[in-house]
Amino acid sequence: MKTEMIVVDKNVDEENSYAQAVEILKSGEVVAFPTETVYGLGADATNFGAVSKIFEAKGRPADNPLIVHVDSKESALNYVQEVSPKALQCMDAFWPGALTLIMQAKPETFANNVTANLQTVGIRVPNHPVALKLLQEVKLPLAAPSANTSGKPSPTLASHVRHDMDGRVPLILDGGATEIGIESTVLDTTCEPPVILRPGKITKEQIESVIGTIRSSSGNKSNVPKSPGMKYAHYAPTAPLYLIEDEKALIEKAIQYVQEKGKRVAVISEMDYPLADFNFPLSMESLYASLRECDLTDADLILAPVKSSDQDQVALMNRLEKAADHKWFS
């Protein structure tokens, strides 16, 4: 399969820019497109065969549900039932935006490989001009997980998508760098109080300011998950990644220890470490790009300094812990 890439960030108001993508999606194929979080790999969420091509392209386990993207609150309400008042409040407060709401799906609405045979579905309205225009033009709900090989860092640039998906998908819409850089917050509104299943840019405190008390999930590795990011290893670079306490002397000692064994060290951090063989920035926006940059080096090991008590970086820590498979350097 030949993969074409179309730059659309400067043509978001031109109808013809999206005609090819719409045609491909309506024919049951897959298109990669940007959102404000990460690039997504989209297919018609009502078409089992089309959605199967997402799993095939990503190499993704079929018991991991997919998030559905729609163009508006009104569109979302066409596909769900028993919507709670708190879910409606969240739609009004945070959509379009980086919040996915788990709700009861209307029966026989979505392909069962979108919902992993659950009665619930995760839906959001993305806050990105390319994604919104595409959804408005195609007039379909699009299942769209991150457009990367399953388990690897999510793509924040179209070039990241091409690296993973070249020859696997027919079209990539290049809308430039994503703004947020990590996946959406996922909130389960089918229980009381609602539960954050995956942290993201929109925080627990922000949601509570709108709907009151919510809980945070401790994860789910044994049962069928309601949300992506709960069961399998995610976001991992090729070289092993280790978390390390953010203390300069400790980090420098770790770098020297690894180098004395003849190995090369990359550090992703808010500051540079001259002793390291490679340095890359660490922030919510840069994390996935930095992990991918590490993959382009010959680093044997990656260190990520973190403050273990930092409660202001819940979403970033969530992604780092999964990328490191919870390993700490010791």
Side-chain angles (χ1 to χ4, degrees), residues 180-182 235 241-246 251 266-273 278-291 293-294 302-308 310 313 315-321 323 328:
I180 294 175
I182 65 168
Y235 325 122
L241 172 68
Y242 290 86
L243 307 180
I244 187 169
E245 191 69 28
D246 192 7
I251 295 161
V267 176
I268 55 173
S269 173
E270 294 177 354
M271 64 177 288
D272 281 351
Y273 285 85
F278 309 97
N279 282 276
F280 300 103
L282 176 59
S283 67
M284 185 182 297
E285 296 78 14
S286 68
L287 173 61
Y288 292 149
S290 290
L291 292 176
E293 288 292 329
C294 288
I302 306 166
L303 294 175
V306 296
K307 296 179 177 67
S308 56
D310 192 347
Q313 298 286 335
L316 181 60
M317 276 300 301
N318 171 268
R319 304 315 193 272
L320 279 170
E321 287 174 345
W328 284 77

Side-chain angles (χ1 to χ4, degrees), residues 30 47 70 141 161 209 224 246 277 330:
V30 177
N47 182 330
V70 297
V161 182
S209 72
V224 177
D246 192 7
D277 298 284
S330 60

